[in-house]
């Protein structure tokens, strides 16, 4: 229950004085804290999960390409955690007060704990995956799906696509949308730079020598 209380803190702080969250389901007060604890455990184990995924792919790579495995595991983990932390500490802190302020005076705001958990998970996954943009760019460039030049040329299209994604997954307020859109755009630029670096870092010995 303490883990759920910590998860619900950004919303609880924005509720009107005297308001509390409610549990609509009969077993929700018992099941929801357990689900949160299990998800927190998965979050702690995420580096190991990502390593196993990359370790499964690694045997199909050349030796020089396998040098990417550990950097990608580390960067994937850090970026995902950063996205989740950014969502929790910044986006929730800005979005929830704005949303609660829109409630009519005749409405008692008492969010359901299960609905809140579903919302939080959606937002955490959205921001965590969005922050993986540099990793996706590096992998696509290293596999030869795209070139560095194409990535630069597609900048404007990426911003349009990122705006569409931000509009779909974030709450209906400008702060949340911009909070997801701007980091995605900046991380795309980081991905272009990182792709050029890792292309050289994992180049075949004969090509690097030439």
């Amino acid at each position: 229950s303490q883990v759920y209380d910590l998860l619900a803190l950004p919303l609880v702080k924005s509720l009107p004085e005297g308001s509390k969250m409610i549990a609509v389901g009969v077993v929700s007060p018992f099941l929801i804290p357990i689900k949160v604890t299990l998800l927190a455990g998965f979050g702690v184990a995420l580096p190991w999960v990502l390593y196993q995924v990359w370790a499964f792919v690694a045997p199909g790579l050349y030796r020089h390409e396998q040098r990417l495995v550990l950097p990608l595991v580390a960067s994937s983990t850090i970026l995902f955690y950063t996205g989740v932390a950014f969502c929790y500490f910044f986006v929730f802190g800005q979005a929830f007060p704005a949303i609660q302020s829109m409630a009519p005076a005749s409405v008692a705001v008492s969010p359901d704990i299960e609905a809140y958990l579903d919302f939080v998970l959606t937002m955490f996954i959205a921001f965590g995956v969005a922050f993986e943009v540099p990793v996706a760019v590096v992998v696509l460039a290293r596999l030869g799906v795209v070139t560095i030049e194409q990535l630069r040329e597609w900048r404007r299209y990426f911003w349009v696509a990122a705006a569409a994604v931000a509009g779909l997954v974030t709450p209906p307020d400008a702060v949340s949308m911009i909070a997801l859109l701007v980091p995605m755009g900046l991380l795309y630029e980081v991905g272009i730079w990182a792709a050029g670096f890792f292309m050289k870092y994992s180049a075949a010995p004969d090509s690097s020598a030439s």
Side-chain angles (χ1 to χ4, degrees), residues 4 7-8 11 21-33 35-36 39 110-122:
Y4 187 87
L7 186 67
L11 177 60
M21 301 183 69
I22 61 173
V24 176
V26 176
V27 295
S28 293
F30 172 74
L31 288 181
I32 298 303
K35 288 182 180 179
V36 172
L39 290 170
S110 301
D112 173 50
I113 61 174
E114 188 169 2
Y116 177 73
L117 177 60
D118 293 339
F119 172 80
V120 167
L121 288 180
T122 301

Side-chain angles (χ1 to χ4, degrees), residues 45-59 66 68-74 76-77:
L46 182 62
W48 178 251
V49 174
L50 291 175
Y51 176 78
Q52 292 300 317
V53 172
W54 285 110
F56 177 78
V57 177
Q66 293 177 1
L68 283 174
V69 174
L70 288 180
L72 286 178
V73 169
S76 299
T77 303

Side-chain angles (χ1 to χ4, degrees), residues 107-163:
V107 174
V109 181
S110 301
D112 173 50
I113 61 174
E114 188 169 2
Y116 177 73
L117 177 60
D118 293 339
F119 172 80
V120 167
L121 288 180
T122 301
M123 292 291 289
F124 280 175
I125 292 173
F127 275 82
V129 172
F131 272 58
E132 299 287 347
V133 167
V135 176
V137 170
V138 169
V139 172
L140 290 175
R142 189 62 189 85
L143 293 176
V145 177
V146 294
T147 64
I148 304 297
E149 291 73 19
Q150 288 176 325
L151 290 170
R152 295 193 179 104
E153 292 174 359
W154 294 346
R155 248 187 214 107
R156 67 186 70 180
Y157 303 111
F158 178 83
W159 278 95
V160 173

